[in-house]
């Protein structure tokens, strides 16, 4: 009798765990549309270094310039502009970020999950996924569509085992001397799951 009750409880727990996991994936994948490089018209990278996944850190950026975009065609144009700036002016191999999030909640594949970015400096690039919210969030927050898409993207990274389950979330300013991701947005990021205190110090 006791054994049967125990067995029932274990089945119950297994069922709940399975459902929650399935729901998490479903939520993460259905809440976001990832626009591939081919779809936004990316230039090919000059070279790529493979990421060793899963990574322990997620780093949040804002673009500062350009400011927020609110529809697909405008956001795509901004993403192409950021890639041109990173490749032609900065001299990088590709757009720096792993992903970008538009003000309308569209997520753009930058270097993606599997390629090391140029976003947080040599100590961090190979250990983190860098997500840039397009806009200048010094004095304002990203639109709520962007915030929920960005959070869903992180959840998706954990589900796909590209990001460890106990990852640490930082704002760019915590690892580099920069105001990024903007004062107003940074205050919000400090309230997100997995955020940890850390102050930048010269490394
Ligand atoms: C990097 O990953 C790609 C895609 O999985 C693979 O084809 C390539 O061999 C890898 N390169 C190195 C240097 O491991
Ligand atoms: C997208 O937004 C830009 C800037 O606000 C605007 O000029 C353009 O007409 C919009 N395009 C669409 C398809 O709504
Ligand atoms: C970003 O926003 C701040 C605060 O509104 C403003 O002072 C700054 O000039 C903006 N930067 C750009 C590049 O527009
Ligand atoms: C995350 O979990 C791994 C494996 O259990 C552990 O080694 C690591 O210290 C944990 N990291 C943090 C930041 O808690
Ligand atoms: C970071 O700096 C702030 C302001 O100086 C300070 O209040 C906070 O305790 C520091 N945090 C850490 C983790 O050192």
């Amino acid at each position: 009798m006791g054994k049967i009750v125990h067995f029932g409880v274990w089945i119950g727990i297994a069922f709940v765990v399975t459902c929650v996991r399935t729901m998490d994936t479903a939520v993460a994948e259905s809440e976001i549309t990832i626009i591939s490089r081919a779809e936004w018209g990316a230039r090919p990278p000059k070279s790529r270094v493979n990421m060793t996944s899963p990574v322990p850190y997620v780093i949040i950026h804002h673009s500062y310039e350009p400011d927020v975009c609110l529809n697909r065609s405008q956001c795509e144009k901004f993403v192409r502009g950021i890639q041109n700036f990173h490749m032609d002016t900065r001299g990088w191999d590709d757009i720096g970020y792993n992903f970008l999030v538009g003000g309308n909640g569209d997520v753009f594949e930058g270097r993606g999950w599997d390629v090391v970015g140029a976003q947080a400096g040599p100590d961090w690039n190979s250990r983190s996924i860098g997500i840039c919210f397009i806009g200048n969030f010094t004095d304002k927050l990203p639109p709520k569509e962007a915030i929920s898409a960005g959070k869903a993207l992180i959840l998706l990274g954990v589900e796909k085992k590209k990001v460890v389950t106990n990852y640490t979330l930082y704002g760019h300013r915590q690892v580099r001397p920069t105001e990024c991701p903007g004062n107003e947005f940074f205050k919000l990021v400090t309230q997100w799951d997995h955020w940890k205190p850390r102050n930048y110090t010269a490394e």
Side-chain angles (χ1 to χ4, degrees), residues 24 26 33 35 46 49 74-75 77 132-133 137 147 160 171 181:
D24 271 0
T33 315
I35 295 157
K46 289 180 205 156
V49 174
Q74 190 192 24
C75 290
K77 204 165 116 193
C132 176
F133 287 71
F137 302 118
I147 290 169
K160 291 168 76 74

Side-chain angles (χ1 to χ4, degrees), residues 74-104:
Q74 190 192 24
C75 290
E76 271 190 359
K77 204 165 116 193
F78 284 5
V79 172
R80 287 192 296 268
I82 293 169
Q83 187 189 33
N84 288 337
F85 176 69
H86 286 176
M87 292 180 78
D88 302 337
T89 306
R90 297 272 197 231
W92 296 343
D93 291 334
D94 192 358
I95 193 166
Y97 312 111
N98 297 92
F99 292 93
L100 301 94
V101 181
N104 62 345

Side-chain angles (χ1 to χ4, degrees), residues 92-128:
W92 296 343
D93 291 334
D94 192 358
I95 193 166
Y97 312 111
N98 297 92
F99 292 93
L100 301 94
V101 181
N104 62 345
D106 279 340
V107 176
F108 295 87
E109 179 187 27
R111 297 197 190 192
W113 302 115
D114 298 322
V115 177
V116 173
Q119 43 98 18
D123 288 342
W124 297 92
N125 290 333
S126 60
R127 300 190 287 155
S128 63

